[in-house]
Amino acid sequence: MLIKLFGIVVRLFGRIMRKIRTKLLSSGFGAWGQGGDISRGFQSNASFQICCGNNVFLNEYMWVSFNNDKGKLNIEDDVYVGRFCTISISSLITIKKNALISDRVFIGDCNHGYKNLCLPISQQPIIFSGTVEIGEGCWIGAGVAILPGVSIGKNSVIGANSVVTCNVPDYCIAVGNPASVIRKLAVDK
């Protein structure tokens, strides 16, 4: 009986801490909708450039890095972002409603410069390479890298550990490195 009561108290304490953390962190966002949760370990160097809709869940140790003061991350309603996700932004990344992003996903709209062969890449400027849009209802598998200039269509699936270098149409399954469409899903009308 005592062990059961202790378990209930621990779970209740965890829920309270999540609500407090979400309230504190989301107050620095550009916008934060109703519901939703920001788990422990969330980091961003410019949270005010993040706009989230309702029921957005940002899981543990997510990192959002803005490379300038012009970048923007828009996350629409009912989006789940898994653990250890990294998002690097110079301009605009949009994640549309009902998207599911698994653990360890990288999304970026920029690259390191590498034109000056005499200078280490880490000392070269960040170069904007194209906005990224993840479509409504997409499922992005674990370990995926989504590179600059990519648009992933509505209700598409990206297989685990894929590297997305070009657009994926609506209702498709894409896998591989580089990711390519292996199947177009039938759409019930």
Side-chain angles (χ1 to χ4, degrees):
M1 174 73 171
L2 188 58
I3 292 173
K4 186 175 182 179
L5 179 62
F6 180 74
I8 292 169
V9 169
V10 167
R11 283 192 301 277
L12 181 61
F13 179 75
R15 286 184 190 142
I16 291 169
M17 291 306 296
R18 274 196 309 275
K19 293 299 177 194
I20 291 170
R21 180 176 41 255
T22 298
K23 189 72 171 167
L24 289 172
L25 289 173
S26 67
S27 67
F29 281 38
W32 181 262
Q34 298 292 318
D37 189 25
I38 303 172
S39 292
R40 66 190 166 127
F42 174 87
Q43 291 186 19
S44 177
N45 61 338
S47 294
F48 63 91
Q49 293 172 247
I50 303 171
C51 294
C52 293
N54 296 322
N55 303 312
V56 170
F57 188 88
L58 306 178
N59 217 319
E60 297 169 333
Y61 303 104
M62 180 180 176
W63 180 41
V64 181
S65 173
F66 290 91
N67 298 304
N68 57 46
D69 59 356
K70 295 178 178 88
K72 187 162 179 126
L73 173 61
N74 290 327
I75 303 175
E76 295 183 359
D77 296 344
D78 302 307
V79 170
Y80 174 92
V81 180
R83 297 173 301 150
F84 302 101
C85 285
T86 300
I87 300 177
S88 181
I89 306 167
S90 283
S91 180
L92 176 65
I93 294 177
T94 302
I95 302 171
K96 301 238 174 177
K97 67 182 180 176
N98 297 309
L100 172 61
I101 299 175
S102 300
D103 296 348
R104 300 179 326 276
V105 169
F106 169 80
I107 304 168
D109 71 354
C110 52
N111 286 304
H112 285 278
Y114 50 90
K115 289 186 177 182
N116 185 343
L117 300 178
C118 298
L119 197 60
I121 292 173
S122 64
Q123 296 176 12
Q124 296 194 38
I126 299 293
I127 299 168
F128 168 70
S129 302
T131 62
V132 173
E133 181 177 295
I134 297 174
E136 180 180 336
C138 284
W139 174 19
I140 310 299
V144 168
I146 300 173
L147 302 184
V150 167
S151 178
I152 298 173
K154 181 177 182 178
N155 287 349
S156 287
V157 177
I158 308 298
N161 297 314
S162 296
V163 178
V164 185
T165 60
C166 59
N167 294 343
V168 175
D170 294 349
Y171 308 105
C172 287
I173 299 173
V175 299
N177 180 5
S180 59
V181 174
I182 61 165
R183 191 165 83 185
K184 180 131 173 94
L185 303 171
V187 180
D188 295 332
K189 298 212 178 194

